[in-house]
Structure formats: C-alpha cells, structure tokens
Amino acid sequence: MHEEAGGGTGDSARGPPRPQAWPSHSWFHGKITREQAERLLCPPETGLFLVRESTNYPGDYTLCVSCDGKVEHYRIMYHASKLSIDEEVYFENLMQLVEHYTSDADGLCTRLIKPKLMEGTVAAQDEFFRSGWALNMKDLKLLQTIGKGEFGDVMLGDYRGNKVAVKCIKNDATAQAFLAEASVMTQLRHSNLVQLLGVIVEEKGGLYIVTEYMAKGSLVDYLRSRGRSVLGGDCLLKFSLDVCEAMEYLEGNNFVHRDLAARNVLVSEDNVAKVSDFGLTKEASSTQDTGKLPVKWTAPEALREKKFSTKSDVWSFGILLWEIYSFGRVPYPRIPLKDVVPRVEKGYKMDAPDGCPAAVYEVMKNCWHLDAATRPSFLQLREQLEHIKTHELHL
C-alpha cells in the first residue's frame, strides 16, 4: 500500500493521466520530491496531507499524510483509467479519492483532515478579504435547504435582511476546489448571470458561497410546472435572449461555461433568467474529464476530443433553446442514451418542438453544425433572436 511496496501496474509508462485540471485542487502539488513533500508537511499535524506525482513510479500519484509525527507516503496506482491505493476501492479521479479518505481512513494511518494548500490557494483566501468579497458569518442566517448538490447543500439564507442563496461546502478538501469557482465569479458581473455576493471561509475549513436568491428556481422546473397554457411565445423568447446575453458576455470575456442547460439557468422573482453554476467555468479552450459530462447537452468534439470552447457552449445553447420551446422536455426523446452520440455524429438533429416558430428552429439547427467553426457566435445568435423578436414573433 505504501509507495515503496509493489511493482508497476503495467499502465504507468504513459505518463500521469490528466482527467481534470488538477492544479485547481489546491492539495495537488505536482512534481515535487518525497523530501519536499515531507518539508511541506512540517510541522507535523495528524491528518495534514497533499498529493504529488510519484517519483518512483512515473504516471502514478503519491498521497502524503502526516500522522503521529511522521509522514506516510501512499502510492496511488493508475490502472484501466481508474485510481486506487489498495486495489480494492477504485476512483474515477483524485477528487473522489480525496473525498473518500476525508470521510473515512479506510486502511490509511489516519483520515485526511486538512489539505496542505499550494501557495496560490492561501493567496486566494487572502485575496477574498483584500478585495472585499469576504462576508461575516455573524451577518448570515441559514434558513432552510432549497437544493442538494454533489458536494453540499444549497440553502436559503438571510444576509443583513436580504434573501440570499448559500452553497455550503463543509468538507475541508472539497472547499479548496470551490475557491476556484468563487474566484471566477468575482470576475464576472452581468444582469443575466447569477451574482456572487461574497464568500465566507471558516477557520475550520468550511466554505460558504453566497449568491443572489432566485425565487422561481431552475428554468427547467419553471417550464415544466407552468407549461404552454401559462407561458406564451414572447416569454419563451425573452428567456432565450436572457441566456444568450449572458453567454455573449462570457464569450467576450473568453470564458467557457461547459455545462449550459436549462437546469443551470435560474429564474428570478421578476422572471429574469440568469445563468448559474460556474463550477466548471474555465478560461476558454481548456480540457477536462469527460467521464461525467451530460452527453445530450455536450458538443461532439467536446465528448470526443475534450475540446471545450465558446463553440461547444453554442451547441449546448441550441439544446437549451430546444428545452425552452419544448417546455422542459429531456432532449432526444425516445432515443436511448447510448445511441445519441453515434446518431448525432452522423448528422442527426432533433425535430422542432411542437409550436416552435420556424425561425427559432433555424437558430437551433445552426448551433448544431458538426463543424464547430461554422456555428454562429453568441453575438450573432443574440442578433438573430432580436430580429425574430422584432419582425417575426407577432406576424
């Protein structure tokens, strides 16, 4: 189980797998030596940990954990696209592995309690304070759970008399990864993006990301619950334009959302649609793990070659338009999930939803060009939708 034990898995020579942009997980320290790791974990504190690339076994990783005054080094083997320390429990990525051993030692000398942060993460926490984004926990009341995410609850809160939404990340290791999300949100401000209000970093390691409260919930639920009898064509077009304007702003700032879908758009009390969930937002043209991607919303080149760009967001926007005009139906109805990608790559496009204006369906189809370069920009999409709004909606 320790790094010194055991031979290679046979897969190691290919070099370290890169299923995700690890440096955003601040416990990942890259290519440092065993001695450097031991220096970083000094003074010893049981449960303090970091992950580095293995020096003895190129292509594998090493989990370094401080325990009872000394540092233990556990080799993380990479085999058949999975990661494991004991060859009994396997993980899709380092994040999952760290999550697991944070909640349970499961054979390690101790459970993982506190990540040894890369310099940049400590700086990120300080930066929130310096730049005025740090809020005071004393001013925040948590009222009730309004949603559950993979890494924590979303709660309705009261911050100095205003309703807010609060993403609560209690787990220390996970909280560090979400600092990246919050720092992205501090750079972005648009009336159709869910606005970050601030961040609370607890000394114990918990993190609260506080955003404006969107009273009417997700767009997909809003569409499904109200339906055709309530929502007219002008309302659907307004939601489409709201989202398009947010995406045009991201495009102009060279940001890629990567998970654009009606479930990640929220609706305010006064019926404004705002794009949310910047967990995956990265600077344009980067790559990520495709293991958990939402197949029906993701562009073929992003699934096939991990090529994420504004143009892959445009593809997803076309799917989102289809969701809006079908009042929240799941895309590619009646096609088994495993058949979606092969059919799409052969040029299959969904039919127009019932009652969808022909001009809007043309916009959708333009988003679904297999050649990403021929898809329109969000600027062009906004112009097309505005043209439909002025010229064609009331014909």
Side-chain angles (χ1 to χ4, degrees):
M1 193 180 198
H2 287 65
E3 188 186 16
E4 289 74 21
T9 61
D11 285 18
S12 322
R14 289 179 298 176
R18 278 290 169 274
Q20 292 187 350
W22 299 127
S24 70
H25 304 321
S26 50
W27 32 255
F28 183 74
H29 287 246
K31 284 186 173 153
I32 60 170
T33 64
R34 180 189 182 87
E35 292 70 34
Q36 285 172 312
E38 291 182 351
R39 279 200 297 276
L40 284 167
L41 295 174
C42 202
E45 180 183 339
T46 292
L48 187 66
F49 73 94
L50 61 82
V51 178
R52 61 182 172 88
E53 290 183 21
S54 172
T55 42
N56 290 6
Y57 300 97
D60 290 347
Y61 298 106
T62 305
L63 171 65
C64 310
V65 191
S66 179
C67 185
D68 297 334
K70 62 181 193 292
V71 175
E72 301 287 353
H73 299 262
Y74 296 96
R75 180 177 164 210
I76 302 171
M77 289 168 285
Y78 176 58
H79 183 62
S81 299
K82 295 266 201 296
L83 299 168
S84 180
I85 285 178
D86 55 13
E87 297 194 78
E88 288 176 15
V89 190
Y90 286 86
F91 305 94
E92 296 287 334
N93 54 46
L94 285 178
M95 187 83 177
Q96 277 185 11
L97 181 141
V98 167
E99 280 281 316
H100 175 77
Y101 290 109
T102 303
S103 52
D104 185 352
D106 198 12
L108 303 189
C109 58
T110 171
R111 73 179 184 85
L112 308 181
I113 296 168
K114 182 178 172 188
K116 174 65 185 178
L117 306 184
M118 286 273 288
E119 290 302 313
T121 309
V122 179
Q125 290 190 20
D126 293 345
E127 186 57 37
F128 286 123
F129 286 94
R130 270 203 305 279
S131 59
W133 288 98
L135 305 180
N136 193 324
M137 193 70 197
K138 291 200 286 287
D139 294 328
L140 179 68
K141 289 193 203 76
L142 296 175
L143 304 174
Q144 68 190 72
T145 304
I146 51 176
K148 290 200 176 292
E150 194 177 343
F151 298 113
D153 293 345
V154 180
M155 299 193 71
L156 172 63
D158 180 293
Y159 187 77
R160 295 183 174 172
N162 294 313
K163 277 187 178 177
V164 293
V166 186
K167 196 180 276 189
C168 309
I169 297 105
K170 294 287 192 189
N171 179 310
D172 195 18
T174 310
Q176 307 314 322
F178 275 85
L179 279 169
E181 170 178 2
S183 62
V184 165
M185 291 180 78
T186 63
Q187 302 167 50
L188 303 170
R189 186 178 286 272
H190 186 274
S191 55
N192 295 111
L193 290 177
V194 173
Q195 181 58 45
L196 177 73
L197 301 175
V199 177
I200 296 167
V201 185
E202 286 188 311
E203 282 187 16
K204 299 194 294 286
L207 176 68
Y208 298 88
I209 297 177
V210 183
T211 63
E212 64 178 310
Y213 173 62
M214 302 291 282
K216 293 187 176 174
S218 80
L219 179 59
V220 72
D221 292 340
Y222 185 86
L223 292 163
R224 286 173 183 170
S225 61
R226 285 152 184 87
R228 238 170 258 281
S229 56
V230 178
L231 303 175
D234 50 349
C235 184
L236 300 183
L237 192 61
K238 182 190 172 298
F239 285 149
S240 306
L241 269 163
D242 284 349
V243 175
C244 194
E245 286 178 25
M247 296 309 297
E248 182 186 353
Y249 170 80
L250 291 185
E251 175 179 74
N253 283 277
N254 205 30
F255 276 88
V256 179
H257 188 286
R258 301 170 168 222
D259 195 11
L260 185 60
R263 64 182 170 274
N264 289 332
V265 175
L266 300 178
V267 182
S268 71
E269 182 63 58
D270 52 355
N271 283 1
V272 177
K274 302 192 184 195
V275 174
S276 79
D277 198 347
F278 296 92
L280 295 173
T281 307
K282 298 282 183 295
E283 289 193 27
S285 300
S286 87
T287 60
Q288 74 170 72
D289 181 11
T290 51
K292 288 188 173 178
L293 290 172
V295 168
K296 291 181 172 187
W297 283 264
T298 305
E301 74 277 4
L303 288 170
R304 192 176 55 243
E305 304 158 49
K306 304 186 185 181
K307 278 192 180 165
F308 287 84
S309 65
T310 292
K311 297 298 191 186
S312 60
D313 277 352
V314 165
W315 178 286
S316 305
F317 179 71
I319 304 289
L320 186 147
L321 279 180
W322 190 93
E323 289 184 278
I324 288 173
Y325 280 86
S326 63
F327 296 91
R329 286 188 77 188
V330 176
Y332 302 99
R334 296 183 294 282
I335 298 179
L337 186 60
K338 65 179 173 49
D339 297 339
V340 169
V341 175
R343 289 190 62 174
V344 164
E345 292 201 321
K346 288 190 183 115
Y348 173 79
K349 292 180 171 71
M350 285 186 284
D351 293 335
D354 289 348
C356 174
V360 174
Y361 182 52
E362 282 306 309
V363 173
M364 286 178 209
K365 288 195 293 186
N366 287 336
C367 296
W368 300 332
H369 284 298
L370 289 176
D371 175 9
T374 60
R375 291 173 208 153
S377 66
F378 281 108
L379 168 66
Q380 290 167 319
L381 287 165
R382 178 182 55 77
E383 288 172 344
Q384 288 164 17
L385 291 170
E386 284 185 337
H387 183 272
I388 293 168
K389 182 180 173 183
T390 9
H391 293 88
E392 302 190 30
L393 192 63
H394 301 297
L395 292 181

